[in-house]
Every structure is written in structure tokens, then in C-alpha cells.
Amino acid sequence: MSTVFGIISKLNINCLLDEKQFKQVIMEKAGGNEVADAILSYSNENKDLVLRIKDNLVKQGLSVWMGDSEGMSATEVLQKIGQAVVDCRLFVFVMSVTSVQSKLCQDQLALAYISSKPIFPVAIVPFSELRELMNNGMKLQLARFPSIPIDNETLDDDTEKLAGILHDELNKLKNEDEKDVDEAERPKLQRQYTMNMGRRKEDEGIDNPMLMEKPTDFWKRHFVDEEVIPWIKFLEAMTMDFQEELDRDFGANDTEWLIGIIQRELDCDQSDFIIKDTFLEYCTSESKVRPLWLMIKELAVQSYAIRDVFSIGSSVRVKAIENLAKFKSMAVIDALRDLLSDKDSSIRSVAIISLAKTGANDELTIRGLIKCLESKDRLVREAACLALGHIKAERATDKIVDLWRNDKISNVRDAAYVALQNIGGEQAAEAIRITQVLEKEIRRLKSNPAGST
């Protein structure tokens, strides 16, 4: 976590939450490399074959990153691979019996998915032999990306075809960048819907036409003209329509976990009621209305990926926290909020800044950030001040004033002052005015002790 120390002190509040500068500092600290066209994710047991694939792709004019290509140790690879996944243009997953069961590969695939990388599954053994070895998350993340077979005996020809596919995708990305200069400002999880909404035969709802039913029809069929319904009533309708598919795709445990996420996404985890307009908004992405079942599956894929990426044992956890704040999904915000109580103060600091970058200013987020003001770690207190100032959390004013006046660390006091200026309002302004008057009077008394003339 040495990469995060110095981030806060190096940037002022105005650029601290600017994506490009934040990323630049992260990369400087991490010793980041030039962005590659593609990263190869693979199991070390297949390293020799993967090296041949890489060499052939390079001959076809592609820049390719894999762990050993920089002459790094295994420890250095683990430190840098998360950033490499975030920065690469294309993610190539070399699938084998060992790689589809590898936690490291799963972490990398999950990070690639939620960073909206075009994913290219390359099967070096028949895909049919691999599917049953995958966990639910990997199956869903790969479901809409056709696998590309590569055989050892025809490797040269196969990798030449793969190179052509990758070049085509790079050209598409280049054209998209030229047409939409504001693409970087859009939450890319929304773009992922468009990229991944294609259907395979098993998703077409031949046996269950309700899978492709419009959300307005779903609502009318179950709730007629009601505008607000109890969550339990919605849950009963949803499970009645999709029970077979939920059991098949997720199983009992994961279904229960997923239902909790759906409840939060529909803003009814606190009130226990669901509003029709909120439901219809949830089923709309980029002005396109999606069937409820497809939105549930898309939420599941994202949630599996987020769970893998942010889990305590994730090999890409730190890089995910540092880079994924731009994604506004409630699932990401929930994950970042959970990290506010992480044992590692550096993790807490970056999670605080990342939360501020999402713009989340709900009650739970503000409450969690205010609690961080009490941390024994000065970096956590400093980050919390800046984050609360950025989201203009007026209810934190008293505690921030206390830090500004009394914290022993000058960086924390400076951050508190910046936060008060950003929060604004009469309370903050009055606190600043009174404190400045008192300080001025104290300086005057020090310079003119009693009895002096």
C-alpha cells in the first residue's frame, strides 16, 4: 500500500478528485508502464504456450503485456497487474483447466469486466471441458463473449486470426474515441450494458417468454395501476416469474445474496416499499428499456465481479479501489463504503477519496465519512475532511471545525480548513470568522504582553 501514501499531500482539493491527475499520481507511485494494446491473463502452468501466443501477437503489430515481459519478480507482477488490467485496451483471457479455476485469473477477469474492457476468451482446450469448472461469476462474465479456440498444432494460424480480431476491436475503440470525446466522463458500467446485452440461445426465453417481457408489462400484469407496492409483494412476483432461472443460474445461496443487492438498487432496502418510477428507471440504460430478467442478470455479473475485486483476498483489490471510483453503481459505492472500516488505514484513505469521487452523499456515506474523522491515522482524518468538503456535508461542520482548531497534524488542519471553505454556509463561515478573530487577538496579545508599552 505504499502507492497511496503521499497522494493526499501531493494534490490539493481541486485536483485531488480529478480523474486524470489522480490516476497520474497513482501511476507515478506504482511505477506504471506504457499502456498496452492487450494484456494476457493466464495460468503459470500454460506459460510456455502463452509466450508463443504473445510472440505471435507482437509479430502482428500488437503491444502485449504479460507478467514476465518486464522481467519482474512474482511479487512485482502481483503489485502491477491490477494497474495493467485497468490501463490495457483489450483483455485476453487464456482459458485452460487451471486458469478457469485460478483465483488470480478470476480477480483479473472481474476487474477487466467492471472496467469495461473488451474481453476475449481464448480457449486452449475445448470450451465444453471448461464451463463446468468455472464459478458462477466467471460463467456470467464470459457468457456473452464468444470463445476463440487456439490449438497447439495450428497455433500460428490461430493467433494470426486472433490478432486480426484484436486489431478490429482496437479500430472500433479508436473510432468511438474520435466520435465521442466525452466518453471518459460517462460511467462505464452503463456502457457495459450495451456491450454485453447480446443474447445466446439459452437467454432467449423460448420456454419462459416472461424473460424478455417489457418491465411496464411485468408491472401491469402483477400490480395493475399501483404506483407504490411493498417490497415483499414485488419479490413474490419476481421469484414466481423467474424461480427456475434463479435456481439454475445462481443457486439458493447466491440468489439470496443477489436479492439483497436488487433491493438496494431499487432504493427500497430502508423503506420496504418500491416505487414504480424507480423500477422503470432501473430497467432503463442509455435511454433503452431492458427486460427485467436481463437487468437482473447484468446486475448479477457486475455484483460477482465487484465481490471478487473488492474481497479481502483479491490480488487486484488496491488497484480497484484506486481506479474504480468513476463507476456510479450502488454496488461499487456499497463496496467502497464497506472499506471505510478496513483494518488497513491506507485502504481506508483511498476508499474515502474514491467515495468522494463517486459523488455519493447519502446518509450512510456521510455517516461513515464522519466516523473516519475520529481515526487515529492522520491520513484517514485528512482524507475524510477533504471528502466531506467535496460533497458539501454540512452536518459534518462541527467536527471539521474541531479538527481545524485542535488537530496536532498541520496537514489535517489544512484539510479541515479547505473542507470548511468548500462546505460553505453560515455555520462554516461563522466558525472560520470567529476562529480567525480569536487567532488574531491571540497573536496581538503575544506580541504585546501585559505591562509592555
Side-chain angles (χ1 to χ4, degrees), residues 35-259:
V35 174
D37 291 330
I39 179 174
L40 296 178
S41 177
Y42 63 97
S43 166
N44 204 47
E45 292 188 18
N46 310 121
K47 182 177 179 179
D48 291 342
L49 180 61
V50 176
L51 277 170
R52 290 176 60 196
I53 293 173
K54 181 216 168 189
D55 289 342
N56 282 359
L57 293 176
V58 170
K59 289 177 183 177
Q60 297 294 323
L62 292 159
S63 60
V64 180
W65 195 95
M66 61 181 285
D68 74 320
S69 63
E70 303 295 329
M72 295 182 294
S73 67
T75 301
E76 290 173 321
V77 171
L78 288 178
Q79 290 175 344
K80 292 190 176 183
I81 197 165
Q83 191 68 53
V85 172
V86 170
D87 289 337
C88 72
R89 296 180 177 89
L90 311 174
F91 183 84
V92 179
F93 180 29
V94 183
M95 297 188 298
S96 67
V97 170
T98 50
S99 69
V100 299
Q101 299 179 85
S102 164
K103 179 64 169 64
L104 294 178
C105 290
Q106 177 59 52
D107 291 346
Q108 295 158 26
L109 174 64
L111 182 56
Y113 191 92
I114 57 177
S115 9
S116 293
K117 302 299 173 186
I119 295 173
F120 297 87
V122 170
I124 59 176
V125 297
F127 182 80
S128 58
E129 298 177 15
L130 300 175
R131 180 171 171 77
E132 294 309 312
L133 300 175
M134 301 176 186
N135 61 26
N136 284 344
M138 182 176 286
K139 287 178 184 176
L140 286 170
Q141 287 154 28
L142 295 177
R144 296 178 178 90
F145 299 103
S147 62
I148 304 166
I150 286 186
D151 189 273
N152 191 40
E153 295 182 0
T154 57
L155 186 136
D156 290 346
D157 290 339
D158 292 344
T159 50
E160 184 176 350
K161 293 177 183 177
L162 173 62
I165 294 171
L166 299 182
H167 275 300
D168 287 345
E169 185 63 33
L170 288 172
N171 288 332
K172 290 179 184 177
L173 293 177
K174 182 180 179 181
N175 291 335
E176 286 180 9
D177 290 340
E178 291 174 351
K179 290 178 181 178
D180 188 358
V181 295
D182 295 325
E183 174 67 26
E185 303 301 321
R186 296 166 57 197
K188 289 194 176 180
L189 279 178
Q190 291 184 7
R191 183 182 175 199
Q192 192 81 339
Y193 285 130
T194 305
M195 183 185 299
N196 288 342
M197 289 309 292
R199 289 182 285 136
R200 301 181 305 161
K201 288 185 178 179
E202 57 264 45
D203 292 326
E204 289 179 353
I206 294 173
D207 296 328
N208 184 356
M210 289 179 290
L211 298 185
M212 302 307 297
E213 183 179 40
K214 293 180 180 179
T216 48
D217 293 339
F218 169 88
W219 188 276
K220 187 173 183 178
R221 181 163 54 86
H222 286 290
F223 316 123
V224 196
D225 296 325
E226 295 181 72
E227 295 294 321
V228 180
I229 60 167
W231 159 255
I232 190 65
K233 188 174 180 180
F234 177 86
L235 178 59
E236 289 172 354
M238 183 177 67
T239 52
M240 181 174 66
D241 284 358
F242 307 137
Q243 187 65 62
E244 182 179 345
E245 288 74 24
L246 290 168
D247 291 341
R248 180 196 67 202
D249 290 345
F250 308 114
N253 290 337
D254 281 3
T255 293
E256 183 177 355
W257 163 75
L258 179 59
I259 285 172

Side-chain angles (χ1 to χ4, degrees), residues 5 13 16 43 70 72 85 96 140 165 170 200 206 221 292-293 327 369 384 394 401 410 413 420 448:
F5 287 112
I13 185 61
L16 176 65
S43 166
E70 303 295 329
M72 295 182 294
V85 172
S96 67
L140 286 170
I165 294 171
L170 288 172
R200 301 181 305 161
I206 294 173
R221 181 163 54 86
L292 174 59
W293 175 246
F327 302 123
L369 291 173
E394 291 188 17
V401 167
S410 62
R413 296 196 301 272
L420 291 173
N448 294 283

Side-chain angles (χ1 to χ4, degrees), residues 421-445:
Q421 289 181 312
N422 284 344
I423 290 172
E426 292 183 5
Q427 185 180 2
E430 182 66 8
I432 292 174
R433 188 190 68 80
I434 290 174
T435 303
Q436 289 176 337
V437 168
L438 289 173
E439 287 180 343
K440 183 178 180 179
E441 185 65 20
I442 289 170
R443 285 195 298 270
R444 189 188 68 77
L445 290 174

Side-chain angles (χ1 to χ4, degrees), residues 343-378:
K343 293 181 180 180
D344 188 325
S345 59
S346 301
I347 290 283
R348 295 202 303 277
S349 299
V350 178
I352 288 167
I353 297 302
S354 297
L355 262 177
K357 288 168 67 180
T358 67
N361 60 358
D362 57 279
E363 177 63 24
L364 286 176
T365 297
I366 292 173
R367 191 187 309 158
L369 291 173
I370 289 175
K371 188 174 181 180
C372 290
L373 295 174
E374 303 171 2
S375 172
K376 294 180 180 179
D377 186 274
R378 69 96 179 165

